[in-house]
Amino acid sequence: MIKIAPAELKTISQYIQQITGIFLDQSKSYLFETRLSSVVEAQGCRSYQELCLKAQREANKKIEKEIIDAITTNETLFFRDKGPFELLQHKILPEVIDARSGRSPLKPSIKIWSAASSTGQELYSIAIVIKELIRDASAYNFTLLGTDISESAIVQASYGKYNRFEIERGLDKRFLQKYFTLFGDSWKIKDEIRAMATFKKLNLMQPFTNLGKFDIIFCRNVAIYFTLDDRKKLFNKLGESLADDGFLVIGSTESLTGICPQFIPKRHLRSIFYQKK
Amino acid sequence: MKNLSILVVDDDPVILHLLEQRLKRENYQVQAAGDGYAAERLLRQQLFDVVLTDLMMPGDIGGIEVLEIAKEINQNTEVLLITAHSSVHSAVEAMKKGAADYLEKPINFDELFLRLDKIANLQTILRNAEDLQVAMRTTESAASGTIQDLEIGMARLRQNLDRVEEILRNEGQAEDLRIEQALGILAES
């Protein structure tokens, strides 16, 4: 594995922060090394600095995409941490449905956003909760959007195919049989769930254009990699994208204290959600 | 004793015996089944890490069915198929159904042991990953409990401080009354 020279660490971490928002300080240089070493070698570079320079100069941004894929964590599970999904099922969805129903002759429209959807497990888990909770989901206009910075994660999410290591843990066997089809050694999400979700590439550090307002936003375990300043920017922007009575769910070990005073934490069972003041 | 439990299935008693003996000599934990039915019975009785089965067997339960039953009972059981050269295409079909690999007859034992080593390594890595995941979840849930309490506590304090500020700034009221009220709220917090 190629080592990072102390002199180049600053340049690299600035570049990574600029393209991904992820802030890695000196104590985490091993993370750069384990994740980027193969890209450095594949690009025929002798150092990380050389790789960054090459990526910056490249017009089609191919290397940049490779770096983003290598550096972003795609560790995610179906129903990772049961809490948020119980919260969704027992508190958030019933309240949102209640608030949006009967106000016009049109179908109630409910928009949900998985802001760092990675390879799609979170958004599909949300879709499964909806299917389980609502007998006739077609009586509502659900929009389920998943966004992620990594293009290859988006491609896998859109395809909806997972190998058994990605799928078994966390997923109820009953759900596996009901919502997935065996495909060789992998499982593919069934069309009825797949059709509910849309995925697209989005860098949370850049402006959110044309996304509109959401009733529910999941943004779990992403901001932990950002600097305090970038976290503030992110949650303020999420606040602007959230309906006034909307719900924000963050990672179970994350906190918004001192980051975004417009959000008030509320507890339901074992979980916390946030609403605007 | 090696830590892989293996079920060997073959309708040819000579091959079955040979496989069982060779694997036992390598210190694997081995059980043998003379046909698909016996295999199904054993699979329903105990968990196996690996099933090594002949693809073509008489009766309703052939190698493919053994594969399906094993996978249905436990996704983590790896199935290796033994096949004659002429039926390689069915072995490829079986791989699509989740078989780990296939071996052509006559069996090359070095090749078989290599595959088994690979499976054992993979299962060790998987078990370690599972252990780590359990450890991580435990830590995470303890941490999240603490963080949630702090988060709610901080929000309540913030709210009380806002109220204190509001009271103290309310010039419509006498100063000593305002201070008393403010102190009351602070005492509650």
Side-chain angles (χ1 to χ4, degrees):
Chain A
M1 201 163 61
I2 304 167
K3 286 274 173 200
I4 293 179
E8 56 178 357
L9 187 71
K10 201 172 165 203
T11 327
I12 307 163
S13 77
Q14 268 173 359
Y15 173 64
I16 299 289
Q17 192 185 353
Q18 180 207 324
I19 60 169
T20 64
I22 294 171
F23 178 71
L24 293 170
D25 60 14
Q26 195 151 13
S27 68
K28 294 177 194 122
S29 63
Y30 72 93
L31 264 174
F32 283 121
E33 287 164 359
T34 53
R35 292 179 179 187
L36 280 186
S37 189
S38 62
V39 185
V40 174
E41 279 170 48
Q43 289 300 330
C45 298
R46 276 155 306 170
S47 71
Y48 292 84
Q49 191 146 16
E50 195 183 322
L51 177 75
C52 293
L53 281 174
K54 195 172 171 188
Q56 277 166 310
R57 276 197 228 107
E58 201 189 36
N60 64 12
K61 304 276 174 210
K62 237 187 110 220
I63 303 174
E64 194 171 289
K65 275 180 208 159
E66 275 182 44
I67 295 174
I68 290 174
D69 283 346
I71 213 87
T72 48
T73 12
N74 283 331
E75 188 271 309
T76 166
L77 302 162
F78 283 92
F79 294 95
R80 168 166 186 201
D81 187 359
K82 298 261 187 274
F85 300 98
E86 287 169 7
L87 181 68
L88 184 70
Q89 183 173 354
H90 299 295
K91 172 84 181 169
I92 299 180
L93 270 177
E95 283 200 12
V96 170
I97 287 170
D98 212 33
R100 300 287 178 273
S101 296
R103 291 201 305 197
S104 82
L106 298 171
K107 278 187 193 177
S109 162
I110 295 164
K111 285 180 73 182
I112 305 175
W113 181 18
S114 164
S117 56
S118 185
T119 40
Q121 285 91 327
E122 180 177 81
L123 194 62
Y124 288 135
S125 300
I126 292 173
I128 290 172
V129 169
I130 293 173
K131 275 272 172 186
E132 290 288 308
L133 183 72
I134 304 163
R135 200 154 293 161
D136 184 17
S138 66
Y140 304 88
N141 230 334
F142 275 105
T143 306
L144 271 62
L145 175 69
T147 60
D148 199 87
I149 191 173
S150 158
E151 210 160 279
S152 64
I154 290 297
V155 169
Q156 201 199 326
S158 307
Y159 198 49
K161 198 175 118 186
Y162 303 93
N163 70 39
R164 60 193 168 94
F165 307 114
E166 291 167 314
I167 210 162
E168 273 163 25
R169 264 160 234 108
L171 192 66
D172 205 298
K173 216 171 182 162
R174 192 170 54 93
F175 288 167
L176 188 64
Q177 302 293 348
K178 199 166 162 190
Y179 297 115
F180 292 84
T181 319
L182 191 60
F183 206 82
D185 211 15
S186 304
W187 295 86
K188 202 166 186 312
I189 194 99
K190 283 193 178 159
D191 288 343
E192 53 169 324
I193 297 292
R194 173 64 198 89
M196 292 170 75
T198 312
F199 293 94
K200 67 179 193 187
K201 189 183 157 183
L202 175 78
N203 182 341
L204 293 173
M205 288 292 104
Q206 278 153 20
F208 306 160
T209 37
N210 300 325
L211 287 182
K213 296 245 180 192
F214 292 88
D215 301 295
I216 304 166
I217 299 177
F218 273 59
C219 185
R220 302 193 300 147
N221 306 318
V222 193
I224 44 176
Y225 301 106
F226 295 177
T227 61
L228 187 63
D229 236 26
D230 284 341
R231 260 184 255 176
K232 286 181 181 167
K233 280 185 203 149
L234 170 63
F235 284 107
N236 277 316
K237 281 198 293 181
L238 290 177
E240 286 161 25
S241 304
L242 189 67
D244 286 338
D245 58 350
F247 293 79
L248 170 71
V249 178
I250 66 173
S252 71
T253 54
E254 291 181 272
S255 153
L256 290 189
T257 298
I259 286 178
C260 196
Q262 66 162 315
F263 283 115
I264 305 289
K266 293 177 185 174
R267 201 198 287 264
H268 179 79
L269 301 174
R270 294 180 295 125
S271 300
I272 281 191
F273 60 89
Y274 293 82
Q275 285 196 295
K276 288 203 233 176
K277 239 180 195 166
Chain B
M1 195 70 104
K2 290 193 183 171
N3 55 3
L4 273 189
S5 59
I6 305 174
L7 173 64
V8 188
V9 193
D10 204 307
D11 60 304
D12 181 333
V14 179
I15 295 181
L16 184 66
H17 186 70
L18 176 69
L19 279 169
E20 195 184 351
Q21 291 314 310
R22 287 299 302 268
L23 287 169
K24 277 190 175 156
R25 214 187 302 157
E26 291 294 314
N27 288 323
Y28 289 104
Q29 305 157 44
V30 190
Q31 298 251 35
D35 57 35
Y37 303 99
E40 179 172 11
R41 268 197 306 281
L42 282 164
L43 280 168
R44 295 204 184 280
Q45 274 166 22
Q46 70 176 94
L47 285 181
F48 291 94
D49 295 311
V50 180
V51 175
L52 177 62
T53 178
D54 193 7
L55 185 64
M56 299 296 192
M57 289 185 292
D60 288 336
I61 308 182
I64 297 284
E65 288 74 23
V66 169
L67 162 71
E68 285 169 349
I69 294 164
K71 284 285 174 188
E72 188 210 302
I73 292 170
N74 181 13
Q75 268 289 319
N76 290 333
T77 298
E78 298 288 4
V79 180
L80 291 173
L81 293 152
I82 304 166
T83 160
H85 181 66
S86 59
S87 50
V88 163
H89 69 278
S90 356
V92 173
E93 282 307 305
M95 302 266 309
K96 288 188 189 158
K97 293 191 170 178
D101 215 335
Y102 65 87
L103 295 155
E104 274 184 56
K105 285 179 191 170
I107 293 166
N108 175 333
F109 280 95
D110 283 339
E111 201 181 323
L112 172 62
F113 297 146
L114 269 176
R115 305 267 159 99
L116 291 175
D117 267 351
K118 268 199 177 156
I119 290 174
N121 287 341
L122 183 66
Q123 300 211 337
T124 310
I125 292 169
L126 271 182
R127 235 165 265 153
N128 286 345
E130 267 168 35
D131 289 349
L132 281 173
Q133 215 157 48
V134 170
M136 187 195 79
R137 288 233 184 102
T138 313
T139 318
E140 198 173 275
S141 91
S144 79
T146 312
I147 290 164
Q148 284 182 13
D149 290 343
L150 287 172
E151 193 81 338
I152 295 286
M154 286 289 282
R156 198 173 298 138
L157 277 177
R158 181 77 254 168
Q159 215 177 4
N160 286 347
L161 286 177
D162 288 348
R163 273 173 65 204
V164 168
E165 186 183 357
E166 198 186 321
I167 288 165
L168 290 177
R169 286 191 190 284
N170 178 10
E171 288 173 9
Q173 236 173 8
E175 207 174 278
D176 50 349
L177 239 166
R178 279 188 265 161
I179 291 172
E180 198 179 316
Q181 275 183 3
L183 285 173
I185 289 166
L186 289 176
E188 275 170 33
S189 337

